[in-house]
Amino acid sequence: MLCPSRLAKLRPLPRPLLAAARRHRGVDLRCAISSSPPPPPPPPPPQVRLRTTSSSSTGLGMPSVDEEECGDFLPWLERKAGAEVSPFLSVGKSAYGRSLFASKSIRAGDSILKVPFNVEISPDDLLPEIRSCKVGNVAKLAAIVLKEQKMGQDSEWAPYIRCLPQPEEMHSTVFWSDEELEMIKESSVYQRTIDRKVGMEREFSVLRHALDCHLPEVSKDMKFEDFMHACALVESRAWESSKGYSLVPFADFLNHDGLAKAVLLRDEQKQFSEVIADHNYAPGEQVLISYGKLSNAVLLLDFGFTIPHNIYDEVQIQFNVPLQDPLYEMKLYLLQRHCLQITHNFGISKCPADSFTIKLGSEIC
């Protein structure tokens, strides 16, 4: 059964000084082929989660402030930052989960959020012995989340950690049961989900050993499911930064609209992340940004939702050009001429040059 999903967290590409920050996601080994731009899409519909879940949300527009969990989050963050983060936004809940709403009128071009780098969480916050582990930045950030979760109210990040989604609120395909994964077995998301879980298991083993040696209070009673939850939090919330990846508290409560022009910007000179409103908002209206031009496959794997009529969606085409084909070289030349990078061992088939992807968006090549 399909039901409305929580809008997710986005991030687009850092350059020196002011640049759009790209949300972390794994390397995409697919390639693209030109196609005619689709007709203008209808207004963006609610994102769709492919698994049902109970919710205390109040609809798309009006916020329901959760005073017990996050009512004091923004004042706490501003005290920690020593600067105002946002005079325009407040934390609430919508049909999509934790969200940010306009607390007063916003005009296009307003700087609605500035999060100083000193209140971002990055792998630099780990002990050198843990930071040197041969695991990726996602696993390193996950280790920080696990450490702060273990500390509970004694953690300096407790107000932030308390506002993060619980395991039952996470809907990435890595949390799906075998029966649920069978429903998408013919898609590339299936194999990518399996690969991600295998990678998590490998990194859990490496990181567990390091934590046993240097942070035994964190590794004690830690299960793989705890690590998987922490990794999924990072996968869906971290942004590319000069430190690899960073968690940006408050900014990561902003939900995704695939047609939005607003993105998270990072100013390396002034040392803050910023969002500029792309249109006017009335008080009480949910504020949205774009996480990037993401297909439903990426959205489902990283965030656990899809978007009907997603203009950035893709269709993967499976094919096989046998090496003994007398026209092999010519076929490869024609494919590469049309913006294609031949994929290797991607998707279901395991032979070279076995697939390409048709992107539905207009900016293809």
Side-chain angles (χ1 to χ4, degrees):
M1 179 178 180
L2 302 181
C3 66
S5 160
R6 176 175 68 81
L7 283 145
K9 318 295 152 213
L10 142 95
R11 306 90 172 142
L13 203 174
R15 298 186 175 86
L17 304 185
L18 192 64
R22 184 168 57 192
R23 182 192 57 78
H24 161 75
R25 63 187 171 101
V27 175
D28 192 348
L29 300 180
R30 292 166 295 181
C31 48
I33 187 168
S34 297
S35 61
S36 300
Q47 298 177 353
V48 174
R49 193 189 334 258
L50 298 185
R51 308 173 75 202
T52 58
T53 180
S54 59
S55 173
S56 59
S57 57
T58 61
L60 304 184
M62 295 304 294
S64 170
V65 177
D66 194 333
E67 295 290 349
E68 183 178 346
E69 288 186 6
C70 295
D72 62 347
F73 176 77
L74 182 56
W76 165 82
L77 185 64
E78 291 179 329
R79 289 194 300 271
K80 187 174 181 63
E84 184 176 54
V85 171
S86 177
F88 290 101
L89 302 175
S90 60
V91 182
K93 279 191 175 181
S94 71
Y96 309 116
R98 195 84 63 212
S99 310
L100 294 184
F101 295 84
S103 55
K104 60 183 179 181
S105 295
I106 294 173
R107 297 182 64 84
D110 284 342
S111 175
I112 57 175
L113 174 155
K114 287 184 180 179
V115 180
F117 286 1
N118 69 322
V119 288
E120 296 182 358
I121 304 174
S122 76
D124 287 356
D125 299 320
L126 279 171
L127 291 173
E129 295 84 357
I130 307 298
R131 198 164 61 242
S132 62
C133 281
K134 294 187 181 303
V135 297
N137 282 321
V138 169
K140 292 174 184 177
L141 277 175
I144 296 175
V145 172
L146 289 167
K147 178 174 77 74
E148 302 303 329
Q149 286 175 335
K150 278 280 188 178
M151 293 179 68
Q153 289 302 115
D154 293 331
S155 166
E156 65 169 312
W157 296 100
Y160 174 60
I161 298 297
R162 190 166 60 243
C163 291
L164 297 178
Q166 296 302 303
E168 62 272 14
E169 298 175 287
M170 305 293 290
H171 297 276
S172 161
T173 50
V174 298
F175 296 103
W176 287 24
S177 66
D178 291 343
E179 291 76 14
E180 289 170 321
L181 285 174
E182 280 294 319
M183 296 188 295
I184 60 169
K185 192 166 186 177
E186 298 306 315
S187 78
S188 62
V189 182
Y190 176 84
Q191 188 58 49
R192 293 174 70 186
T193 300
I194 301 302
D195 292 344
R196 181 167 293 184
K197 292 180 75 171
V198 169
M200 285 181 179
E201 289 172 352
R202 181 191 65 79
E203 293 195 314
F204 175 70
S205 177
V206 173
L207 194 62
R208 178 66 181 266
H209 176 73
L211 292 174
D212 284 342
C213 295
H214 303 288
L215 287 174
E217 67 277 11
V218 176
S219 63
K220 182 181 179 182
D221 301 324
M222 183 176 72
K223 302 181 179 64
F224 173 66
E225 289 74 17
D226 302 323
F227 178 70
M228 187 165 67
H229 172 233
C231 283
L233 287 173
V234 173
E235 290 276 4
S236 62
R237 313 184 83 80
W239 309 74
E240 286 190 358
S241 71
S242 57
K243 298 178 180 179
Y245 301 117
S246 298
L247 291 169
V248 187
F250 196 66
D252 61 0
F253 295 160
L254 285 162
N255 289 320
H256 174 61
D257 175 1
L259 300 180
K261 301 299 182 185
V263 297
L264 183 75
L265 303 168
R266 293 183 64 83
D267 192 322
E268 297 292 339
Q269 186 176 61
K270 296 181 179 178
Q271 295 284 288
F272 60 71
S273 298
E274 182 178 24
V275 174
I276 307 296
D278 59 347
H279 66 273
N280 298 343
Y281 287 92
E285 190 176 353
Q286 184 176 180
V287 176
L288 304 171
I289 62 174
S290 169
Y291 294 173
K293 299 173 182 179
L294 305 179
S295 70
N296 278 341
V298 172
L299 292 173
L300 185 58
L301 178 63
D302 287 354
F303 302 106
F305 69 81
T306 61
I307 302 176
H309 312 295
N310 184 354
I311 65 170
Y312 301 115
D313 210 0
E314 303 169 344
V315 177
Q316 188 179 64
I317 307 299
Q318 299 286 341
F319 71 99
N320 181 23
V321 183
L323 292 174
Q324 62 272 25
D325 188 331
L327 299 178
Y328 179 82
E329 295 297 332
M330 180 182 292
K331 290 178 180 179
L332 290 188
Y333 167 75
L334 290 173
L335 289 170
Q336 292 165 345
R337 182 179 176 182
H338 290 280
C339 310
L340 292 179
Q341 297 175 348
I342 301 305
T343 61
H344 294 272
N345 298 331
F346 178 78
I348 301 169
S349 177
K350 295 299 182 185
C351 56
D354 66 351
S355 68
F356 63 89
T357 299
I358 298 177
K359 294 179 179 288
L360 305 185
S362 56
E363 296 182 20
I364 303 299
C365 301

